[in-house]
């Protein structure tokens, strides 16, 4: 969990060396996220996830894209007219990155010993941007994590109604 103040940023490195970054904090946190990753010898992010297009989740994403080799880039299929969102799109375009639609059912390839699956979003139209949040359940051995972005009640109810196992350690 990278300290970005008000916001989200989680970095996962698997035993096989695969890497995933979920969110990158605010615009102001972008340099801190980049510095943190570089100080740990990271030069490639295999899977980059912008959970949803609020500034406290994707603000530093353009810095990350501009400073690292990126494998796959996931964001939910929703747009906003903010400069932050436009900056992320411009950075992705300048690197030739395609944005893969984040949605329930996607299995993220982090190696044979890690199970990582997107459990949300389950819908395609929400009034609240938070409900577009990519929710990821990651399991390694007997330990599991649930990364929820800012998924709200509607998204939570959809995951429960789909029968997803939301019991996790973290």
């Amino acid at each position: 969990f990278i300290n970005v103040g008000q916001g989200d940023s989680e970095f996962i490195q698997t035993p096989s060396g695969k890497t995933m970054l979920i969110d990158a904090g605010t615009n102001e946190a972008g340099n801190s996220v980049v510095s943190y990753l570089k100080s740990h010898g990271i030069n490639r992010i295999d899977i980059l996830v912008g959970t949803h297009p609020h500034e406290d989740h994707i603000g530093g994403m353009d810095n990350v894209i501009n400073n690292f080799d990126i494998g796959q880039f996931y964001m939910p299929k929703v747009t906003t007219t903010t400069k932050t969102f436009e900056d992320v799109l411009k950075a992705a375009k300048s690197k030739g990155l395609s944005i893969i639609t984040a949605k329930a059912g996607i299995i993220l390839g982090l190696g044979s010993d890690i199970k990582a699956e997107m459990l949300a979003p389950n819908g395609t139209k929400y009034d609240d941007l938070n409900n577009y949040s990519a929710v990821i359940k990651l399991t390694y051995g007997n330990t599991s994590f649930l990364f929820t972005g800012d998924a709200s009640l509607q998204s939570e109810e959809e995951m429960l109604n789909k029968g997803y196992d939301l019991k996790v350690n973290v």
Side-chain angles (χ1 to χ4, degrees), residues 14-18 110-115 139-141:
T14 70
S16 66
K18 294 274 188 181
L110 288 173
S112 59
D113 50 352
I114 304 281
K115 181 178 180 193
T139 305
Y140 175 66

Side-chain angles (χ1 to χ4, degrees), residues 77 98 137 142:
K77 192 174 185 96
S98 296
K137 182 175 182 182
N142 294 323

Side-chain angles (χ1 to χ4, degrees), residues 10 12 14 16 18-23 45-51 71-76 99-121 134-140 145-147:
E10 299 91 16
I12 294 104
T14 70
S16 66
K18 294 274 188 181
T19 57
M20 177 167 67
L21 181 70
I22 303 170
D23 289 334
I45 298 170
D46 295 301
I47 299 172
L48 180 63
V49 180
T51 58
Q72 297 175 315
F73 181 29
Y74 292 88
M75 283 182 46
I99 300 174
I100 304 165
T101 300
K103 61 185 177 186
I106 291 178
I107 304 297
L108 302 167
L110 288 173
S112 59
D113 50 352
I114 304 281
K115 181 178 180 193
E117 180 179 6
M118 284 191 193
L119 305 181
V135 174
I136 298 167
K137 182 175 182 182
L138 186 144
T139 305
Y140 175 66
F145 301 81
L146 192 64
F147 301 97

Side-chain angles (χ1 to χ4, degrees), residues 80-93:
T80 65
T81 57
T82 64
K83 181 172 180 343
T84 297
F85 184 69
E86 290 173 12
D87 288 346
V88 172
L89 296 181
K90 285 178 188 172
K93 186 176 181 180

